[in-house]
Amino acid sequence: MTAVRSVLIVGASAAGLTTAEALRRKGFTGTLTLLGAERELPYDRPPLSKQVLSGAWEPERAQLRSTQALAALDAEFVLGDPAVGFDADSREVTTASGRTLTADAVVIATGVTARTLPDQRGVRGTHVVRNLEDAAALRADLLSAHRVVVIGDGVLGAETAATARQMGLDVTLVGPQAAPMTEQLGPLVAGHLADLHLRNGVKLRGGVLLDALHTQGGAVTGLRLSDGTELDADVVVTAVGCVPATDWLGNSGLNLDNGVVCDAHCRAAPGVWAVGDVARWHHQGLGRPVRLENRTNASEQGLVVAADILGDGKPYLPVPYFWTDQFDVKLQVHGIASPVAQARVVEGDPVDGRFVVRLEGPLGPECVLGWNMPKQARVQRADLVDHYTRPRQPVTP
């Protein structure tokens, strides 16, 4: 590829902003444009289900950079105008307003959209938590609510349930897993997380799905679960996962399969990269495609993409990492545990509320989880590096 003189980043959240900042730090002096679907300046999403939802933070505090820092970036921010079409060959992006943007390099950073349930569309009192507007609307309803049901027992559902309970509400967390976040944590740590929620007054309904919403006058009043249980609810929060925001890429010529499919350098096509939640890239250390939805990946991947655009790229080989804060626990997860991984406590003691768990798979250590022991978990992470950074043969699907 010839020298890059212009870069267009489609998506103005954490991944897109990190890529832009890294380009400038690495000496890129060309034209830099960030196109965003939302009208707000770039903001952080993890606080939405915690500090912003609880009211501990004003929404403005979630903004990633000050207006002065954004001005110093010398980039054009085109906000409130979502991309609706893309041609990978010409690297031409079309927006909802009819604007056409092109660049030598295009970075796709459109993230994901929250899944909703068909029954909840247009029903007052039903919510998702994906953006600032969602968090503000949910908070407004929580302030006058009494009974809350959260559907979905992954990270977002568990965090939202914890926040609502700390606001003094009657909270029930519903999901298909035996314990919250079992898929991410494994049964041992998920069991401790379930105990944490129960001790703090959250009611858990595991191993069930939503069967139907009950409404009256266009507002939610309760729901029925797949096991026949009936629950009253003033507010229902749906946290049943997200889908990559790729609808606008349908005729782009890119390979789309659970995200934008990329090579080990996060390249989707000549002159086109993907970064953040929307990117499904080939992780050489795992020998398979990976797509991660977390804040750390958005930042780390942005650095790699910026370097690759400027001709100094290396394969992206992260040790995946995310954290979650629930009640008085900070839980940090390094790596990805396979379903067959065996867990054991290697430091601390669950009885004391501080411990580190290591999960071993067929090829060695796969994951380290720290429960209120961030430094010790970080030390244990060193044993994961070889597993994630040593290239291996592709895994057959």
Side-chain angles (χ1 to χ4, degrees):
M1 185 176 174
T2 57
V4 173
R5 294 172 295 180
S6 58
V7 178
L8 168 62
I9 300 173
V10 186
S13 194
L17 180 62
T18 298
T19 305
E21 291 176 330
L23 284 167
R24 291 301 194 213
R25 284 198 304 270
K26 292 177 180 296
F28 177 67
T29 58
T31 302
L32 185 56
T33 305
L34 287 91
L35 174 66
E38 297 181 62
R39 296 186 181 278
E40 291 84 4
L41 290 171
Y43 62 87
D44 216 4
R45 296 189 190 276
L48 298 184
S49 59
K50 299 182 285 291
Q51 295 94 333
V52 173
L53 184 59
S54 70
W57 286 14
E58 292 298 321
E60 294 76 17
R61 188 172 172 184
Q63 188 170 312
L64 284 166
R65 301 290 183 270
S66 67
T67 53
Q68 293 85 354
L70 294 176
L73 191 59
D74 189 25
E76 180 184 6
F77 285 84
V78 181
L79 302 177
D81 194 8
V84 296
F86 179 54
D87 185 298
D89 291 334
S90 63
R91 295 189 290 279
E92 182 176 282
V93 175
T94 305
T95 74
S97 70
R99 189 185 272 118
T100 298
L101 302 172
T102 60
D104 296 331
V106 173
V107 180
I108 298 169
T110 44
V112 294
T113 58
R115 284 193 179 98
T116 58
L117 303 171
D119 289 350
Q120 80 179 86
R121 292 170 189 162
V123 176
R124 296 192 307 278
T126 62
H127 296 268
V128 296
V129 185
R130 177 60 193 167
N131 56 40
L132 272 172
E133 186 178 348
D134 295 335
L138 174 57
R139 174 167 170 74
D141 271 5
L142 291 180
L143 291 176
S144 60
H146 174 61
R147 297 176 299 273
V148 179
V149 176
V150 180
I151 304 169
D153 51 8
V155 180
L156 181 60
E159 287 183 348
T160 303
T163 300
R165 181 64 193 133
Q166 288 173 299
M167 294 174 68
L169 300 169
D170 181 298
V171 180
T172 302
L173 178 59
V174 174
Q177 304 179 97
M181 295 180 60
T182 298
E183 184 176 340
Q184 295 99 333
L185 307 178
L188 175 64
V189 179
H192 288 293
L193 187 64
D195 289 342
L196 174 70
H197 277 257
L198 290 170
R199 289 198 306 272
N200 283 278
V202 176
K203 302 167 187 175
L204 300 180
R205 299 289 305 182
V208 294
L209 300 172
L210 173 68
D211 185 47
L213 284 178
H214 300 320
T215 63
Q216 183 175 353
V220 69
T221 59
L223 48 85
R224 182 175 66 248
L225 303 180
S226 57
D227 64 357
T229 301
E230 299 280 351
L231 298 174
D232 293 329
D234 308 307
V235 171
V236 172
V237 184
T238 302
V240 292
C242 297
V243 294
T246 57
D247 286 352
W248 65 286
L249 297 169
N251 297 313
S252 64
L254 298 178
N255 185 5
L256 306 177
D257 182 7
N258 184 29
V260 178
V261 178
C262 304
D263 66 11
H265 293 256
C266 305
R267 303 169 191 152
V272 182
W273 288 257
V275 63
D277 296 0
V278 75
R280 186 168 180 251
W281 88 101
H282 181 74
H283 193 304
Q284 291 184 343
L286 295 175
R288 60 181 174 85
V290 172
R291 188 176 68 82
L292 299 175
E293 295 180 15
N294 62 62
R295 180 65 172 79
T296 303
N297 177 68
S299 298
E300 293 182 347
Q301 200 168 27
L303 302 178
V304 170
V305 167
D308 202 62
I309 290 172
L310 299 179
D312 189 28
K314 298 177 182 178
Y316 182 44
L317 291 166
V319 177
Y321 168 77
F322 75 91
W323 79 93
T324 177
D325 298 319
Q326 298 176 37
F327 297 109
D328 60 348
V329 169
K330 177 176 285 294
L331 184 56
Q332 297 175 305
V333 183
H334 301 271
I336 302 172
S338 66
V340 297
Q342 299 296 309
R344 63 187 179 94
V345 177
V346 293
E347 289 198 49
D349 190 328
V351 173
D352 299 326
R354 299 180 70 248
F355 61 97
V356 177
V357 168
R358 180 167 163 153
L359 291 103
E360 300 267 353
L363 299 178
E366 297 179 346
C367 187
V368 169
L369 303 100
W371 184 288
N372 283 340
M373 292 190 85
K375 293 181 180 178
Q376 295 85 344
R378 182 75 182 176
V379 170
Q380 291 282 338
R381 174 193 179 276
D383 291 338
L384 304 178
V385 173
D386 182 66
H387 178 76
Y388 286 94
T389 60
R390 175 173 48 84
R392 65 185 68 196
Q393 292 298 315
V395 176
T396 302

